[in-house]
Amino acid sequence: AGNWQGAITAYNKAIKINPRYEAAYFNLGVLYDQKGELEAAITAYQQVIALKPNLVRAYSNLGSTYARQQKYVEAIAIFKQGIALDPTWGTLHNNLGQVYWVNSQPELALTSFETAISLEPKMALAHQNLGRLWQQQGNQIKAAKHFLHVIQLEPKNISAHSSYADI
C-alpha cells in the first residue's frame, strides 16, 4: 500500500509552501481516494477544480468519488461539467453511463456508453458495460456483439468470456 501518511504529509507541506499547487491537491485526492477517505478526496478534488477549472481529470475523479458514495446526482452533475469541458473524452461518457445505470436510468446509460464507444472504439470497459446493459434489457444479440468486441480487444478478459457464455 505504500507510505500513505508520508506522501500525504509531503503534499500538505508542498501546499503550505505554494497554496496554488493544484497537482499536490490532485495527488492528495488520489491518495485519499485509495485510502477510502472519500470526503477528504472530494475536498482535494474540489480544490483542484477551484484552482484549475479546466483540468478534466479532476472532474472525472471527483465524479467517480461521488459515485462511490452513492451520491449519484452530484456525480452526474460533475461528469456533465467535465464533458462540457472535453466532450471528446470517452472515459467521462462511460463513467456517466455507469452512474446513470446504477441510478436506474438505463436509457441515458445506453446513450452514454454508445457515445463513449463512438469516441473511443477500443474502450473495452464501455463495450462491456453496454453488453451488460443490453443483456439486462433482454437484447442478447446486441449484448453478444459487445462481449465479443471486448474479447477481441482483451482476449484474457474472463468476465467478458463468462458474460458471452451466459447468453
Side-chain angles (χ1 to χ4, degrees):
N3 182 0
W4 301 107
Q5 200 50 53
I8 290 169
T9 300
Y11 285 124
N12 280 321
K13 284 181 183 176
I15 290 167
K16 280 185 181 168
I17 294 167
N18 180 2
R20 300 194 53 77
Y21 186 27
E22 84 279 339
Y25 287 106
F26 186 88
N27 291 332
L28 273 175
V30 171
L31 286 170
Y32 285 132
D33 208 352
Q34 291 173 346
K35 280 185 71 179
E37 295 181 24
L38 302 183
E39 286 301 326
I42 286 169
T43 300
Y45 293 135
Q46 288 172 332
Q47 189 63 38
V48 174
I49 291 168
L51 291 169
K52 196 168 184 181
N54 62 341
L55 187 63
V56 180
R57 288 181 311 140
Y59 293 86
S60 180
N61 288 19
L62 178 57
S64 295
T65 304
Y66 277 134
R68 285 179 57 200
Q69 291 186 317
Q70 299 180 342
K71 293 181 177 178
Y72 301 129
V73 172
E74 292 89 340
I76 289 166
I78 291 297
F79 286 138
K80 284 182 173 181
Q81 288 176 31
I83 289 168
L85 291 170
D86 184 0
T88 66
W89 193 24
T91 297
L92 281 172
H93 293 277
N94 183 66
N95 291 350
L96 179 60
Q98 289 176 310
V99 174
Y100 279 141
W101 191 5
V102 297
N103 200 37
S104 301
Q105 296 174 284
E107 301 84 12
L108 294 172
L110 181 76
T111 302
S112 294
F113 294 145
E114 287 176 340
T115 301
I117 290 168
S118 73
L119 293 168
E120 298 181 36
K122 293 184 178 182
M123 184 188 296
L125 182 57
H127 281 285
Q128 190 150 345
N129 287 334
L130 191 52
R132 287 181 180 147
L133 182 56
W134 279 124
Q135 191 173 30
Q136 184 183 64
Q137 299 293 311
N139 192 326
Q140 305 307 325
I141 293 170
K142 287 187 178 181
K145 173 187 156 200
H146 288 284
F147 293 139
L148 281 173
H149 206 89
V150 174
I151 292 166
Q152 290 171 344
L153 293 168
E154 297 178 353
K156 294 181 181 181
N157 187 317
I158 295 167
S159 178
H161 283 280
S162 175
S163 295
Y164 183 70
D166 288 343
I167 294 177

